[in-house]
Amino acid sequence: MKILFLINGLGLGNSTRCHAVIQRLQAKGAEVEVATSGNGLWYFSDKTEVTKVYEIESLSYGSKKGTINMLRTFASILSSFSVVYRNSKRIGGILDQSETNIVVTDSIYNFIPMKRRGIKVVSLNNADIVWHSYFYFKNRPNSIKFQFYGIEMFDFLIHKLMSDYVISPCLLSNLPKPGKNTIRVGPIVRDGLRPKNTSMPEKSAVVMLSGSVFGTPINFSNRAYPMKIDVVGRNEPKNWVGTNNINFHGRIRNTFDLLNKADLAVVNGGFSAVSEIFWLGLPMVVVPVPGHAEQWINAKTIERLGLGLIATTENYEDIMLKVFSRIQEFKLNYEKIEHQKDGAEQSALSITRLLTS
């Protein structure tokens, strides 16, 4: 089995969930190569499960003052087409030299090179969940409407129409059934994350906000915190005058030790980060990127399940303290949730079955 993963490298969420599936595929004897960009190149540079990493160009949202700006996103479409064209040529060259049996794509929309060569395409994508959840939740903020219809709807339709198979990780169980070429799986989580013994006293929080351009700024005030705080992905701010119980760890590839010992987590609303915190059974504060429909939906899902609270860039520090004060309540709500299957293992099995079908 020789498999090529095409991975969007804007943030780290696409890379971590693909890595989880790659771990399971490699254990089944697959040879895996990766084509990615940006943060993905950094993340996969030391992963022994991957035999080769290729560089492709990045696609990203238009932004203004660190938030998604749909007008700028649409204005950049022409340049995006040129990136897609160059990436198509690059991917075609990789396929011709690598003897790939199947391609798994995570938010890379270059389907033509595979179609021309008759290579099956599996999409690792939860746009199916975003589409159905958007209409499931009421009182949606107007700020996410343009991104949903301009980006998420396109994401949903292109994967439904162009992929041979879509693997869609999901936390909610009461959504409408997916289409014929879509299978829903449990949370996709890297091997090595282990839920903590809930009987241990609560004493630490991990703040793991996105490393992309849209990541929430870290602006802690100098107050007495009732817990130790580990900040992942950010260096200590210039002229920082902090407290002894806040540690900045910068950008690190292996976050397992910090996550495995944490009692609660503060994350942006990317599905990969939310899934891993969910798998660990940690109460969470979810700070969706402003104007991002999927991140708002992921945050709303966690709040609806009673596992944490939604916060904003301005109030997440106060919400973190509120969640910490109610930590036992959120932990008890985890115990009420039906056991989730290993989505990474389910995904790997689905990919290997498609190879032999």
Side-chain angles (χ1 to χ4, degrees), residues 7-170:
I7 305 171
N8 187 308
L10 177 61
L12 282 175
N14 303 95
S15 296
T16 55
R17 74 174 171 190
C18 284
H19 182 212
V21 178
I22 290 169
Q23 287 176 319
R24 275 63 165 195
L25 286 169
Q26 197 255 358
K28 299 179 190 305
E31 181 181 344
V32 179
E33 297 181 339
V34 165
T36 186
S37 60
N39 285 305
L41 292 169
W42 172 80
Y43 180 80
F44 281 104
S45 63
D46 70 340
K47 298 297 179 285
T48 58
E49 301 94 343
V50 176
T51 58
K52 193 167 185 178
V53 179
Y54 302 93
E55 182 174 2
I56 57 177
E57 294 184 55
S58 296
L59 283 172
S60 63
Y61 289 109
S63 64
K64 185 177 181 180
K65 296 181 180 180
T67 62
I68 294 172
N69 184 278
M70 292 309 299
L71 291 177
R72 293 191 178 186
T73 297
F74 290 131
S76 68
I77 286 177
L78 288 178
S79 63
S80 297
F81 280 133
S82 64
V83 172
V84 171
Y85 174 74
R86 291 192 297 273
N87 278 346
S88 291
K89 293 184 67 176
R90 173 71 168 146
I91 293 166
I94 294 169
L95 294 173
D96 290 338
Q97 73 180 42
S98 67
E99 300 180 348
T100 298
N101 302 121
I102 196 166
V103 170
V104 180
T105 176
D106 192 335
S107 301
I108 298 290
Y109 306 104
N110 300 79
F111 293 92
I112 292 177
M114 287 75 80
K115 297 295 184 183
R116 285 178 174 172
R117 291 162 177 79
I119 298 173
K120 291 181 179 178
V121 181
V122 175
S123 290
L124 190 56
N125 184 274
N126 65 325
D128 153 68
I129 302 302
V130 175
W131 174 262
H132 291 296
S133 297
Y134 182 82
F135 300 104
Y136 172 78
F137 290 120
K138 308 303 178 186
N139 301 318
R140 301 179 295 269
N142 289 328
S143 60
I144 68 172
K145 183 181 298 183
F146 292 111
Q147 196 271 347
F148 175 77
Y149 285 106
I151 301 296
E152 302 296 345
M153 184 176 69
F154 165 79
D155 203 15
F156 170 66
L157 292 175
I158 195 169
H159 286 94
K160 182 179 178 65
L161 297 173
M162 297 297 290
S163 302
D164 295 290
Y165 204 43
V166 179
I167 296 174
S168 181
C170 182

Side-chain angles (χ1 to χ4, degrees), residues 141-213:
N142 289 328
S143 60
I144 68 172
K145 183 181 298 183
F146 292 111
Q147 196 271 347
F148 175 77
Y149 285 106
I151 301 296
E152 302 296 345
M153 184 176 69
F154 165 79
D155 203 15
F156 170 66
L157 292 175
I158 195 169
H159 286 94
K160 182 179 178 65
L161 297 173
M162 297 297 290
S163 302
D164 295 290
Y165 204 43
V166 179
I167 296 174
S168 181
C170 182
L171 301 182
L172 286 174
S173 59
N174 55 348
L175 296 174
K177 291 183 179 180
K180 291 181 180 179
N181 69 330
T182 301
I183 179 172
R184 290 188 184 148
V185 299
I188 295 178
V189 176
R190 291 169 293 171
D191 189 31
L193 291 172
R194 299 287 182 266
K196 185 178 179 180
N197 183 347
T198 56
S199 64
M200 296 178 68
E202 298 81 26
K203 57 183 179 180
S204 68
V206 62
V207 177
M208 194 172 64
L209 297 167
S210 173
S212 77
V213 67

Side-chain angles (χ1 to χ4, degrees), residues 10-13 39 207-218 232-234 266-270 273 287 289 295:
L10 177 61
L12 282 175
N39 285 305
V207 177
M208 194 172 64
L209 297 167
S210 173
S212 77
V213 67
F214 303 113
T216 302
I218 300 293
V232 178
R234 307 296 172 83
V266 181
V267 294
N268 285 124
V287 191
V289 168
Q295 293 214 2

